[in-house]
Amino acid sequence: MLRRSSRTRDNDEIDALERALRDREAELVANAARFRSLVENSSDMTLVVDEAGNISFVSPASRCVLGMDEADLEGTDVMDLVHPDEREHVAAALAVRQSVECRMRHADHTWRGVDVLVVDLRKDPTVAGLVLHIRDVTDRRRLEAELRHAQKLESIGQLASGVAHEINTPIQYVGNNLQFLLGAFEELKPLVQGDGAEALLAEIPVAIEEALDGVERVATIVRAMKSFGHAGADVMAPADINEAVRNAMAVAYSEVKHVAVVSLDLDEKLPPVMCHIGDVNQVLLNLIVNAAHAVGDVTKRTRKKGRITVRTRVEGPHCVIEVCDTGAGIPPSIANRIFEPFFTTKEVGVGTGQGLALAYSLIHDRHRGSISFESDPLTGTKFDVRIPLEAAA
């Protein structure tokens, strides 16, 4: 038997090694293509940041997340994208390779809420620094805030409805008895004689009328509370916007009465509007309470009451609601941020920053309407709410 030469065996081993290398190379190329496809087609933006914080790689999802192309971001400091109020917190998280939630600047000059997942690949010689996977959670945060707000409002609505029901019956007794006393007094007047009778004849009817006015005021508040407690099912239906304004003003009366004179200029020919009346109630209540707070800030300095005016009218295919106040106005430096979720200028524990953001979502997203404002430090602020008279498709 002939034995294979050592040269032949060496050539076979070399061929096998070359085939293994080619297979491995093909596998690496396929894996690289697969991972490149994952990065390029992911809805999450991927950034590679060097030790100095400069961005060296940007995935195409940057256009969807921040409205910017790769060329707009490469070479820039990643901290320039982070909201100024959160840069220190984000820098501290990145220093310890900890994932973080923050706000990042969008090309349209708004701030988007994002989750930042941090991957430390400094041990990989092909990657310098950190890999940041960034997911836009703005809509998720808004929906979570709306859900929390809706749950709170549902509880408040149930409580208000129960309180209104408990108040309603006894206040009817008081009102009916006062009406009886007023009528009975008219019948007894001819029988009243003696010293001081003339003064009593003048004062007693006035006292009863004032008591009846107070009962009617309580009844108005009870009706408003019941309206807020039973805003209807979560479906669009024709609603009386003028009545909604009156109810909102009645519910907010305790916030308004000490700081402002109220003026209602309501179009009595306003037709029923297709809407989620519970949403409209909450928007009106939020705008009126905000107006009261704005006027209150001025009243503290001037010791004079301001004015809050609410108007309704039809303008083209829209129902227009205006809420005007004589407060100090909205500073231009924050005017473009007041509808941002969680943005507030109020003290901690006073404002959550959800009110106007929720109002914007309810009008813009749920009703396909609009909410805007004009503000002047000398004359105050006017909010303009527009709701289609007919439900938008």
Side-chain angles (χ1 to χ4, degrees), residues 333-382:
S333 60
I334 65 169
N336 65 336
R337 298 187 59 195
I338 67 168
F339 293 118
E340 282 184 22
F342 308 105
F343 174 76
T344 180
T345 59
K346 298 177 182 177
E347 298 176 2
V348 176
V350 177
T352 63
Q354 298 180 30
L356 286 176
L358 180 61
Y360 180 88
S361 175
L362 294 177
I363 296 300
H364 185 271
D365 299 337
R366 291 259 286 178
H367 290 84
R368 298 297 185 262
S370 66
I371 178 170
S372 58
F373 68 93
E374 299 174 6
S375 191
D376 187 295
L378 299 178
T379 59
T381 302
K382 179 185 76 172

Side-chain angles (χ1 to χ4, degrees), residues 275-290:
C275 63
H276 299 278
I277 191 59
D279 292 352
V280 177
N281 284 341
Q282 298 310 318
V283 171
L284 287 171
L285 186 60
N286 181 270
L287 293 180
I288 292 170
V289 170
N290 280 358

Side-chain angles (χ1 to χ4, degrees), residues 45-49 78 94 116-119 130-134:
M45 180 173 69
T46 300
L47 302 180
V48 176
V49 180
V78 70
L94 296 185
V116 182
L117 175 64
V118 182
V119 180
L130 301 175
V131 176
L132 309 181
H133 296 290
I134 300 171

Side-chain angles (χ1 to χ4, degrees), residues 11-65:
N11 288 339
D12 290 343
E13 291 175 358
I14 291 173
D15 290 342
L17 181 59
E18 288 178 346
R19 285 195 299 272
L21 289 174
R22 287 195 297 269
D23 291 344
R24 181 57 177 165
E25 182 180 5
E27 183 181 352
L28 291 174
V29 170
N31 285 339
R34 185 181 303 111
F35 287 116
R36 186 182 301 110
S37 177
L38 289 173
V39 171
E40 292 179 350
N41 292 287
S42 172
S43 59
D44 296 344
M45 180 173 69
T46 300
L47 302 180
V48 176
V49 180
D50 64 22
E51 293 292 344
N54 297 319
I55 300 171
S56 59
F57 171 82
V58 183
S59 71
S62 62
R63 167 57 60 179
C64 297
V65 177

Side-chain angles (χ1 to χ4, degrees), residues 50-365:
D50 64 22
E51 293 292 344
N54 297 319
I55 300 171
S56 59
F57 171 82
V58 183
S59 71
S62 62
R63 167 57 60 179
C64 297
V65 177
L66 297 180
M68 304 181 197
D69 293 324
E70 295 94 317
D72 300 326
L73 296 173
E74 287 182 356
T76 63
D77 188 336
V78 70
M79 285 302 165
D80 290 342
L81 299 175
V82 178
H83 193 283
D85 295 345
E86 299 173 351
R87 286 175 184 168
E88 183 176 351
H89 170 62
V90 172
L94 296 185
V96 295
R97 284 32 182 172
Q98 180 180 341
S99 298
V100 66
E101 185 174 328
C102 64
R103 286 173 288 174
M104 283 192 167
R105 174 171 49 87
H106 194 277
D108 63 5
H109 305 295
T110 62
W111 294 97
R112 308 292 291 180
V114 297
D115 277 341
V116 182
L117 175 64
V118 182
V119 180
D120 187 359
L121 294 181
R122 290 174 300 172
K123 295 180 180 179
D124 186 339
T126 64
V127 180
L130 301 175
V131 176
L132 309 181
H133 296 290
I134 300 171
R135 173 170 296 178
D136 187 341
V137 296
T138 305
D139 292 337
R140 189 191 75 192
R141 290 176 63 182
R142 175 178 59 81
L143 290 172
E144 289 173 349
E146 287 182 15
L147 179 60
R148 289 193 298 270
H149 196 69
Q151 290 172 336
K152 181 173 69 174
L153 291 176
E154 182 180 4
S155 299
I156 294 173
Q158 292 174 349
L159 177 62
S161 180
V163 171
H165 178 74
E166 294 300 321
I167 294 175
N168 194 47
T169 300
I171 209 67
Q172 284 180 345
Y173 293 153
V174 175
N176 291 340
N177 287 328
L178 285 172
Q179 291 286 0
F180 167 75
L181 290 174
L182 185 61
F185 176 75
E186 292 297 324
E187 296 180 8
L188 291 172
K189 278 170 52 175
L191 305 178
V192 179
Q193 298 177 357
D195 296 339
E198 187 173 342
L200 286 174
L201 289 175
E203 293 176 2
I204 291 176
V206 173
I208 295 176
E209 290 290 349
E210 288 180 352
L212 285 171
D213 288 342
V215 169
E216 178 56 30
R217 175 63 190 161
V218 173
T220 298
I221 295 172
V222 168
R223 287 194 296 270
M225 291 172 67
K226 290 179 71 175
S227 175
F228 269 69
H230 296 284
D234 191 24
V235 294
M236 282 195 170
D240 185 342
I241 297 299
N242 287 343
E243 184 65 18
V245 171
R246 296 187 187 98
N247 289 338
M249 191 62 74
V251 173
Y253 184 69
S254 62
E255 294 281 350
V256 174
K257 62 181 179 180
H258 297 299
V259 298
V261 176
V262 174
S263 175
L264 299 183
D265 181 12
L266 308 180
D267 182 358
E268 297 303 332
K269 296 182 180 179
L270 189 70
V273 177
M274 289 293 295
C275 63
H276 299 278
I277 191 59
D279 292 352
V280 177
N281 284 341
Q282 298 310 318
V283 171
L284 287 171
L285 186 60
N286 181 270
L287 293 180
I288 292 170
V289 170
N290 280 358
H293 291 170
V295 172
D297 290 340
V298 175
T299 301
K300 290 176 183 177
R301 300 195 302 269
T302 64
R303 303 298 178 184
K304 295 180 180 179
K305 281 190 175 183
R307 179 173 291 275
I308 295 175
T309 304
V310 184
R311 302 185 182 94
T312 61
R313 68 177 185 275
V314 173
E315 191 171 296
H318 292 93
C319 165
V320 180
I321 308 169
E322 290 182 358
V323 180
C324 311
D325 67 65
T326 57
I330 299 171
S333 60
I334 65 169
N336 65 336
R337 298 187 59 195
I338 67 168
F339 293 118
E340 282 184 22
F342 308 105
F343 174 76
T344 180
T345 59
K346 298 177 182 177
E347 298 176 2
V348 176
V350 177
T352 63
Q354 298 180 30
L356 286 176
L358 180 61
Y360 180 88
S361 175
L362 294 177
I363 296 300
H364 185 271
D365 299 337

